[in-house]
Amino acid sequence: MKVDAIVLGGGIVGTSVALQLQRRGVKVAVVDRKAPGNETSLGNAGLIQREGVYPYACPRDFASLARYAGNRATDVRYHAMALPKMAPFLLKYWHHSREDRHALIAKAYSTLIAHSVSEHRELIDAAGAQALLRNNGWIKAFRTDKVFEKSVTEALRWKDEYGIEFDVLQGDALRHAEPSLSSVLRMAVRYSSSDSVSDPAGLVGAYANLFERIGGRVLVGDASTLEPSWRVQTETGTAEAEMVVLAMGPWSGDLTAKLGYSLPLEVKRGYHMHYAAMPGATLNHPALDAEVGYMITPMVRGIRLTTGVELGFRDSPKTPVQLQAIEPVARSVFPFGERLDPEPWLGRRPCTPDMMPVIGPAPRHKNLWFAFGHAHHGLTLGPITGRLIAESITGAIPTVDLRPFRADRF
């Protein structure tokens, strides 16, 4: 089968790229080993983070580093055997997380974040997926005054620098917004300009259905069989194209290495589990218990409990000790019923040390494009990434300057 472009990867980024190309008259096939939205894009907290102008940085203060070194923190755990391999990445991550460098990164990163909600809403309308969308923001909840006041100061700075809207919920206001949350969460910052979805995999599936309705093809295949220029093996035979977009999330590094690139990609692992809510209990917003480090989100399947970060080899077996540690805490905050999943879900977030995705042309291959490394913001940035790749390929001026995100920055 011959098409104009093959997109390798059927997550939120790859599906968005394919859809935006197909809408611009490019004949596209998506190739993945699973149906769209059933790998990394399945397991996030469902946030579309308009407030996320500062990507998640590495802690640099001694107290935090000492706490994580003991490997008993609820928000970050690590596999000791993986640390030697990850050390160069972690050192660069720590370097880029210094306050002044982080602020410079935010100036570039915010140009993507600015389009996150608007691009999703447009695609959601086109795909008929409005039932999955919530536009009431999300809440970051606190137990102590000191940490809460620090977060309010941060939110005020973000509002001043980037126009990020928020409101403060305390006492009765928080109880009114979330009557089923325990009073141990005493106050919160609500980021009202952000959206969320009740089924991230379902949203990707809706975008993929729209892609197919307008002529795109979704194929099951093995991206590792890619050969320049450009062929890949699928269950229905060989797919050939003039150009390829590599959007394989945490598996992107395997293929870029095969093609001769050495990019500093690592993964942050994470887990989730769904629970029933006890009779009469409600959760109206995604809610972060900020001082413990977990999030609960109302989903189609139930209440999703998501963990923080686990540092380890990408393909190591599941070690859901974080989930085991936070479940009792989460049950004391919200009235969970029984578990709804047979086992915890494990996902892998694709990360770069400067916290910014790789978006743009491959430096040494004609008609090869990169779209990966979105870390915690894959769902947030999928549609704008798709638009930028599609604009670049079809000769339009990209909506956002892509120079900060090119692969040759490394």
Side-chain angles (χ1 to χ4, degrees):
M1 177 176 50
K2 292 187 177 180
V3 292
D4 299 324
I6 294 170
V7 176
L8 298 176
I12 182 61
V13 175
T15 299
S16 296
V17 169
L19 176 55
Q20 295 286 22
L21 282 169
Q22 190 75 27
R23 294 173 101 190
R24 288 164 173 78
V26 180
K27 187 179 179 182
V28 184
V30 170
V31 177
D32 202 330
R33 61 187 180 183
K34 295 183 178 181
N38 278 278
E39 193 54 75
T40 307
S41 294
L42 185 149
N44 55 75
L47 300 182
I48 302 170
Q49 290 187 255
R50 177 63 185 87
E51 92 294 339
V53 289
Y54 279 81
Y56 295 104
C58 178
R60 289 179 59 95
D61 63 285
F62 178 79
S64 294
L65 294 174
R67 182 167 65 90
Y68 294 139
N71 208 21
R72 298 182 62 84
T74 48
D75 53 344
V76 178
R77 293 287 179 99
Y78 61 86
H79 293 177
M81 293 292 291
L83 290 185
K85 176 183 177 293
M86 298 187 73
F89 171 89
L90 293 172
L91 183 60
K92 292 175 183 176
Y93 183 27
W94 182 83
H95 169 83
H96 287 294
S97 297
R98 197 176 75 182
E99 185 175 356
D100 57 337
R101 298 185 183 113
H102 197 204
L104 289 175
I105 288 168
K107 290 186 181 300
Y109 199 72
S110 64
T111 63
L112 298 176
I113 291 290
H115 299 275
S116 57
V117 167
S118 58
E119 289 295 315
H120 262 292
R121 288 183 179 180
E122 194 275 325
L123 290 187
I124 285 169
D125 286 344
Q130 295 90 342
L132 300 178
L133 179 67
R134 293 183 294 255
N135 56 14
N136 60 341
W138 68 278
I139 64 173
K140 187 175 184 179
F142 301 89
R143 298 160 177 257
T144 63
D145 292 337
K146 181 178 179 180
V147 183
F148 168 67
E149 289 165 3
K150 181 178 179 182
S151 187
V152 171
T153 300
E154 179 182 68
L156 287 167
R157 178 162 59 91
W158 293 355
K159 183 175 183 179
D160 181 59
E161 292 177 352
Y162 297 106
I164 303 301
E165 295 297 327
F166 74 97
D167 54 335
V168 170
L169 303 175
Q170 293 180 276
D172 291 343
L174 180 55
R175 301 282 78 78
H176 177 76
E178 292 294 351
S180 298
L181 288 183
S182 166
S183 59
V184 70
L185 298 177
R186 298 172 45 234
M187 47 274 194
V189 173
R190 177 166 56 192
Y191 290 107
S192 54
S193 59
S194 296
D195 285 351
S196 65
V197 295
S198 60
D199 184 357
L203 182 67
V204 178
Y207 292 172
N209 290 338
L210 174 60
F211 166 67
E212 291 185 290
R213 288 200 301 272
I214 62 175
R217 296 287 303 275
V218 175
L219 306 174
V220 176
D222 183 358
S224 69
T225 64
L226 181 70
E227 300 176 10
S229 50
W230 294 105
R231 297 180 300 277
V232 66
Q233 299 304 314
T234 77
E235 289 186 351
T236 54
T238 302
E240 301 182 11
E242 179 182 346
M243 67 190 78
V244 169
V245 182
L246 177 53
M248 295 168 59
W251 293 274
S252 299
D254 295 348
L255 201 47
T256 56
K258 179 181 175 181
L259 294 169
Y261 297 93
S262 179
L263 300 178
L265 295 172
E266 282 292 351
V267 300
K268 297 178 183 177
R269 292 158 47 114
Y271 299 85
H272 82 228
M273 173 62 69
H274 290 99
Y275 301 81
M278 295 295 284
T282 60
L283 185 65
N284 300 317
H285 304 76
L288 174 68
D289 188 345
E291 293 172 67
V292 179
Y294 67 88
M295 194 155 201
I296 55 175
T297 304
M299 293 286 186
V300 168
R301 180 164 171 74
I303 306 298
R304 179 178 289 182
L305 172 62
T306 58
T307 71
V309 168
E310 180 184 75
L311 301 175
F313 295 123
R314 183 190 65 193
D315 299 324
S316 292
K318 296 177 183 178
T319 53
V321 292
Q322 280 177 302
L323 187 65
Q324 296 164 8
I326 65 174
E327 181 179 316
V329 181
R331 286 186 179 277
S332 71
V333 165
F334 182 84
F336 284 121
E338 73 275 16
R339 285 186 169 193
L340 299 177
D341 300 328
E343 61 178 345
W345 180 88
L346 167 64
R348 303 148 180 95
R349 308 171 183 99
C351 302
T352 65
D354 65 0
M355 296 161 273
M356 297 199 297
V358 180
I359 306 172
R364 300 193 301 275
H365 287 79
K366 184 179 180 182
N367 293 331
L368 175 64
W369 296 78
F370 293 158
F372 51 79
H374 293 75
H376 297 262
H377 287 154
L379 180 66
T380 294
L381 297 178
I384 183 58
T385 299
R387 176 174 178 171
L388 294 171
I389 292 289
E391 288 172 339
S392 300
I393 285 176
T394 58
I397 298 174
T399 301
V400 171
D401 183 1
L402 287 178
R403 284 176 294 180
F405 312 107
R406 290 173 61 109
D408 55 13
R409 73 182 188 267
F410 299 116

